[in-house]
Amino acid sequence: MGSSHSSCSLTPTHSTKHFYFSPSPIAPSKLYPNQNQIRNSINFKLQPFLFSSSSSSQVLPLKCRKAAEFETQAKSLKTMADVHGIDQELLQEMVYDALVWSSLHGLVVGDRSVKRSGEVPGVGLSHSPIALLPGLFPETHWNQACELSSIFNELVDRVSMDGKFLQESLSRTKKGDAFTSRLLDIHSKMLQIDKKEEIRLGLHRSDYMLDDKTKLLLQVELNTISCSFPGLSCLVSELHRFLLGEYGEVLGLDYKNIPENYAANQYAEVLAKAWTEYNDPSAVILFVIQAEERNMYDQLWLSVNLRKRHNIKTLRKTLAEIDREGVLRSDGTLVLDGQAIAVVYFRAGYTPRDYPSESEWSARLLMEQSSAVKCPSISYHLVGTKKIQQELARPNVLERFLDSEEDIAKIRKCFAGLWSLDDKDIVKKAIETPELFVMKPQREGGGNNIYGDDVREALLKLQEEGSEEDGAYILMQRIFPSVFPTIFVRDGICHKDHAVSELGIFGAYLRNKDKVIVNQQTGYLMRTKVSSSNEGGVAAGFAVLDSIYLT
């Protein structure tokens, strides 16, 4: 899922090894002895960013020099505040090296301009949109975010087991939101047949912004389905470590301040453990995907990892294909292509666009009825809705699910203001000062929230209509993070602008009956966007992938 609001150091265990191609930086000049000719033969097409504002975009002529040659002319960066002052020739060199590295290491997405890029691997590739250098982030807040991961993992699991709480909390939302209503109907059917999910698997991502005024780390949202970029986020961290390994001395930056990121390895490892708990060596893992998936390479990193490191096969199917081809045996086994499904991993199914017909809803119900381990189950999915996030922020609700007063205090500290639209005083305040609020529907994927004067107009319209549609929304305190200069690279084009960032912490939870097998933080995702943009989804075209530089 993309960001919905614009709002630990990862140490590998003995069983978690780096899987990137090169453990040590290799300068492109060592790879290409004729690179001057290669660079001069490349022409970049001038086109603006999707979110380009008044700041300059420029196509960089490609030249070749080693970083040492710039030492007399380059400006040493004592802080990232100087990033826009990097010498132009050095900047050209860095961008070129970043593009080469991205191409060689699979930091790629499908090119929207190529029709088949979302269907056939290897067709229409483009480097992922990235920030050229990592963004500053305080180490104390980084540690706080990492520590919260296991607490939120446990919270999701406990809330998911309280079917009455989920149904009651979302009852008003159900009346005003057809999509959430259909999810609740499936959940209700599972409650009626007393469907037991003995093996419970959650791959989550909790997103945060650092509020500039209060200096508090505030949660934007908690994602429980289709948490994107565990594969590519690792590569961005590795790219930035490579660039600082090459140019860090010139820039005055140390690559060791970028936390290593093993999200792809660790997500795959937890999926493999869930497969093991299912206890059928012939079974496979099913990736539920969208029909056109230009972010397939982020997902394929997990598939390749599962195959190479754990000898587990994967299938990729759309909801329509699952409905057409899936069979549910009498013992609950889900079968596709003649193969039993041990784990269902959703990278689709989080938006109404994924359910254009009854066929897709039939597939979702079929999978939920099966004995396969669902990631997420319908109950985990519902815990990630905006309304449940708002309900958990109410007084005395966390105490219903967590025993530790210390854990409760840690979670409350990161909660931003969250309110239901039946709070008349807050609605009145939001109409008077809409710039202080974000109006959120029960949607994921970026591009869905309401900001600024549109908040006032939407609230007044709901009041005039007097319908129950207001149950489909919540109000959230708008977070105003620090603005900093950065350098975006999209479509081979370098673009200087001022930006804000959002930190996502990946987490994994696996339990079989009463035994908790995994509850840990499993990597991170940094997304950066121009400060003038409200939305923040990378796949939606608003943001770029980034990493963090600890301060």
Side-chain angles (χ1 to χ4, degrees), residues 279-313:
N279 198 28
D280 181 354
S282 66
V284 301
I285 294 178
L286 171 65
F287 281 48
V288 183
I289 60 170
Q290 294 174 330
E292 293 185 0
E293 181 55 87
R294 291 180 174 84
N295 194 31
M296 69 171 77
Y297 305 98
D298 177 59
Q299 303 165 10
L300 291 171
W301 274 110
L302 301 185
S303 297
V304 170
N305 198 320
L306 285 164
R307 182 64 171 169
K308 283 192 172 183
R309 293 170 56 82
H310 305 284
N311 197 30
I312 299 172
K313 294 181 180 180

Side-chain angles (χ1 to χ4, degrees), residues 39-40 44 58-63 88-89 92-93 96:
R39 294 178 189 217
N40 292 334
F44 284 90
Q58 50 190 308
V59 180
L60 297 174
L62 299 175
K63 299 180 181 179
Q88 190 68 11
E89 288 189 82
Q92 294 169 12
E93 179 79 7
Y96 179 84

Side-chain angles (χ1 to χ4, degrees), residues 81-144:
D82 298 326
V83 70
H84 284 178
I86 295 177
D87 176 87
Q88 190 68 11
E89 288 189 82
L90 175 58
L91 184 59
Q92 294 169 12
E93 179 79 7
M94 291 174 63
V95 171
Y96 179 84
D97 285 356
L99 295 176
V100 170
W101 195 100
S102 297
S103 302
L104 293 179
H105 291 75
L107 181 50
V108 295
V109 294
D111 186 339
R112 290 178 181 273
S113 66
V114 180
K115 185 177 180 180
R116 297 165 65 227
S117 66
E119 301 171 358
V120 184
V123 174
L125 297 183
S126 174
H127 74 88
S128 175
I130 57 171
L132 183 62
L133 292 169
L136 296 179
F137 202 85
E139 187 170 7
T140 53
H141 290 98
W142 161 253
N143 292 333
Q144 178 189 356

Side-chain angles (χ1 to χ4, degrees), residues 204-333:
H204 309 140
R205 196 189 70 230
S206 186
D207 295 335
Y208 303 92
M209 279 184 152
L210 187 57
D211 184 64
D212 189 45
K213 184 177 181 179
T214 63
K215 306 304 178 187
L216 292 175
L217 186 74
L218 299 179
Q219 187 184 58
V220 177
E221 66 178 349
L222 177 61
N223 303 279
T224 59
I225 182 171
S226 186
C227 298
S228 59
F229 297 114
L232 297 192
S233 65
C234 302
L235 295 173
V236 178
S237 300
E238 195 72 2
L239 166 64
H240 286 164
R241 289 170 67 86
F242 160 74
L243 288 174
L244 294 194
E246 289 290 298
Y247 301 100
E249 186 174 350
V250 177
L251 300 174
L253 300 171
D254 186 350
Y255 76 91
K256 295 178 183 177
N257 287 347
I258 301 174
E260 293 186 349
N261 193 349
Y262 297 95
N265 282 351
Q266 294 184 329
Y267 256 26
E269 186 168 319
V270 177
L271 284 167
K273 286 182 177 179
W275 175 87
T276 300
E277 293 299 317
Y278 187 78
N279 198 28
D280 181 354
S282 66
V284 301
I285 294 178
L286 171 65
F287 281 48
V288 183
I289 60 170
Q290 294 174 330
E292 293 185 0
E293 181 55 87
R294 291 180 174 84
N295 194 31
M296 69 171 77
Y297 305 98
D298 177 59
Q299 303 165 10
L300 291 171
W301 274 110
L302 301 185
S303 297
V304 170
N305 198 320
L306 285 164
R307 182 64 171 169
K308 283 192 172 183
R309 293 170 56 82
H310 305 284
N311 197 30
I312 299 172
K313 294 181 180 180
T314 60
L315 290 178
R316 293 173 60 81
K317 297 286 185 179
T318 65
L319 286 166
E321 289 172 332
I322 293 167
D323 179 55
R324 188 167 57 246
E325 305 166 13
V327 175
L328 194 63
R329 292 176 180 165
S330 58
D331 64 354
T333 303

Side-chain angles (χ1 to χ4, degrees), residues 38 62 125 177 185 196 229 233 406 424 515 544:
I38 296 173
L62 299 175
L125 297 183
D177 186 290
D185 286 344
K196 301 296 185 184
F229 297 114
S233 65
E406 183 179 357
K424 303 305 180 185
K515 181 183 178 182
V544 300

Side-chain angles (χ1 to χ4, degrees), residues 275-532:
W275 175 87
T276 300
E277 293 299 317
Y278 187 78
N279 198 28
D280 181 354
S282 66
V284 301
I285 294 178
L286 171 65
F287 281 48
V288 183
I289 60 170
Q290 294 174 330
E292 293 185 0
E293 181 55 87
R294 291 180 174 84
N295 194 31
M296 69 171 77
Y297 305 98
D298 177 59
Q299 303 165 10
L300 291 171
W301 274 110
L302 301 185
S303 297
V304 170
N305 198 320
L306 285 164
R307 182 64 171 169
K308 283 192 172 183
R309 293 170 56 82
H310 305 284
N311 197 30
I312 299 172
K313 294 181 180 180
T314 60
L315 290 178
R316 293 173 60 81
K317 297 286 185 179
T318 65
L319 286 166
E321 289 172 332
I322 293 167
D323 179 55
R324 188 167 57 246
E325 305 166 13
V327 175
L328 194 63
R329 292 176 180 165
S330 58
D331 64 354
T333 303
L334 176 63
V335 179
L336 277 164
D337 291 351
Q339 300 175 92
I341 305 300
V343 180
V344 178
Y345 173 48
F346 285 92
R347 289 299 294 261
Y350 55 85
T351 170
R353 294 189 301 274
D354 291 339
Y355 301 86
S357 71
E358 286 301 311
S359 176
E360 287 77 15
W361 285 111
S362 177
R364 184 67 188 268
L365 178 60
L366 180 74
M367 290 183 287
E368 202 63 35
Q369 290 173 324
S370 77
S371 61
V373 181
K374 272 75 71 175
C375 183
S377 65
I378 192 68
S379 58
Y380 269 42
H381 185 170
L382 292 172
V383 175
T385 58
K386 306 297 187 297
K387 180 60 180 176
I388 295 300
Q389 182 184 6
Q390 178 256 308
E391 285 292 314
L392 291 173
R394 293 175 55 201
N396 303 316
V397 176
L398 285 177
E399 284 80 357
R400 179 171 176 171
F401 302 105
L402 296 177
D403 303 321
S404 169
E405 293 183 4
E406 183 179 357
D407 287 348
I408 291 170
K410 289 176 181 177
I411 287 184
R412 283 224 171 93
K413 185 178 179 180
C414 78
F415 276 163
L418 293 156
W419 303 276
S420 168
L421 264 62
D422 58 8
D423 188 328
K424 303 305 180 185
D425 291 336
I426 286 295
V427 170
K428 181 176 181 292
K429 185 175 181 181
I431 291 173
E432 293 171 351
T433 55
E435 68 279 3
L436 300 180
F437 295 85
V438 180
M439 191 170 169
K440 292 188 172 186
Q442 311 301 312
R443 295 290 180 270
E444 306 296 345
N448 300 298
N449 296 332
I450 302 171
Y451 299 86
D453 290 339
D454 291 340
V455 172
R456 178 190 293 116
E457 293 178 13
L459 291 173
L460 290 174
K461 182 180 179 181
L462 287 173
Q463 288 183 346
E464 291 173 6
E465 294 175 348
S467 69
E468 294 179 319
E469 190 180 346
D470 61 350
Y473 297 89
I474 67 164
L475 282 169
M476 181 175 177
Q477 164 196 349
R478 186 160 187 178
I479 304 170
F480 295 95
S482 300
V483 177
F484 58 91
T486 195
I487 300 171
F488 298 95
V489 183
R490 186 189 290 272
D491 296 327
I493 299 171
C494 177
H495 175 92
K496 295 179 181 179
D497 213 320
H498 286 79
V500 295
S501 289
E502 183 174 315
L503 173 66
I505 298 293
F506 293 113
Y509 185 90
L510 176 62
R511 176 166 65 83
N512 191 344
K513 298 180 181 178
D514 294 331
K515 181 183 178 182
V516 177
I517 300 164
V518 176
N519 182 9
Q520 64 188 35
Q521 178 247 354
T522 52
Y524 74 95
L525 165 68
M526 191 73 158
R527 286 164 297 179
T528 295
K529 63 179 185 176
V530 291
S531 56
S532 58

